[in-house]
Amino acid sequence: MRFTSEQRLDDGVLEREFTLGEIPGILWTPTSASAPVPLILLGHPPLGLQRMYPRLVARARRAAADGFAAATIELPGSGARPRWAAAEQARADLRRALEAGEPVSDEIIDALILPLVDKAVPESQAALDALLSLPEIGGPVGYSGGVISVGIRLAVAEPRIVAAGFFAGSFVPRTMFEEARQVTIPLHVLLQWDDEGNDRQAALDLFDAFGSREKTLHANMGGHTGVPQFAGEDAAAFFARHLR
């Protein structure tokens, strides 16, 4: 890990950009902490860190206010990373189906999501290796948001993650339902009831599939971008409960 820039935000949060090999990322840490702090790994959709930055930094500021570090890395094929021909084709096929008002086929969903999961999860684990080696970060680790299939695989494969907050707003391959049954950590799942791009029944079926003994579904009225502010407060309370 190599830090490439550093700035202190107006609320005392230290923001550092870094690279992990060729992967860009951002780390936010509370400057008031006197001991190593837990970490929340922030997921995001494959739209690029620059485009997602306003939402990510808002989530990171809240994490820091609760005494946690937060970090994120660029997804494969997104942002400044090299384009990935198969992913570009899958996105084009998805746009074509949506614009035509056609159902999105399992083949398109598999091509869009499964290779992303296969690439993104090992990179996230490598990022955790580097982040947890820093003296200011001591764990435990939570995972928050992003492509839910990436979160599912991480929750199964990564024992350092002890709690996860998922957003039920992305396409999920059928094979991920079997992996969901292997998830056992506490979960906080947010569902926008009228999300125009989300199959509500599939989201409910996925929640039912999770093997966690502690899992909470927070469903709110409204579309994909209509998440109420109090939903963020509920998610913050979830992580405070499990990471402190």
Side-chain angles (χ1 to χ4, degrees), residues 175-195:
T175 58
M176 295 305 302
F177 282 72
E178 188 57 40
E179 292 195 38
R181 294 183 176 90
Q182 302 174 49
V183 175
T184 59
I185 61 174
L187 296 179
H188 178 100
V189 182
L190 175 64
L191 171 64
Q192 286 300 104
W193 200 249
D194 304 304
D195 190 336

Side-chain angles (χ1 to χ4, degrees), residues 37 58 103 106 120 128 146:
V37 298
D106 289 343
L128 283 181

Side-chain angles (χ1 to χ4, degrees), residues 21-45:
E22 300 299 318
I23 306 170
I26 310 174
L27 170 64
W28 297 270
T29 49
T31 55
S32 58
S34 57
V37 298
L39 171 69
I40 299 177
L41 191 62
L42 301 180
H44 54 90

Side-chain angles (χ1 to χ4, degrees), residues 74-141:
E74 189 73 88
L75 286 169
S78 298
R81 297 188 65 180
R83 285 295 173 262
W84 181 12
E88 294 293 304
Q89 182 60 55
R91 290 170 187 166
D93 292 341
L94 174 64
R95 286 193 298 270
R96 190 178 304 112
L98 293 175
E99 289 169 359
E102 300 172 352
V104 179
S105 68
D106 289 343
E107 290 76 12
I108 292 176
I109 294 173
D110 288 354
L112 183 70
I113 302 298
L114 293 178
L116 176 64
V117 172
D118 289 342
K119 289 177 178 288
V121 168
E123 292 180 353
S124 295
Q125 292 179 295
L128 283 181
D129 291 341
L131 291 162
L132 290 172
S133 72
L134 299 174
E136 61 268 38
I137 299 176
V141 180

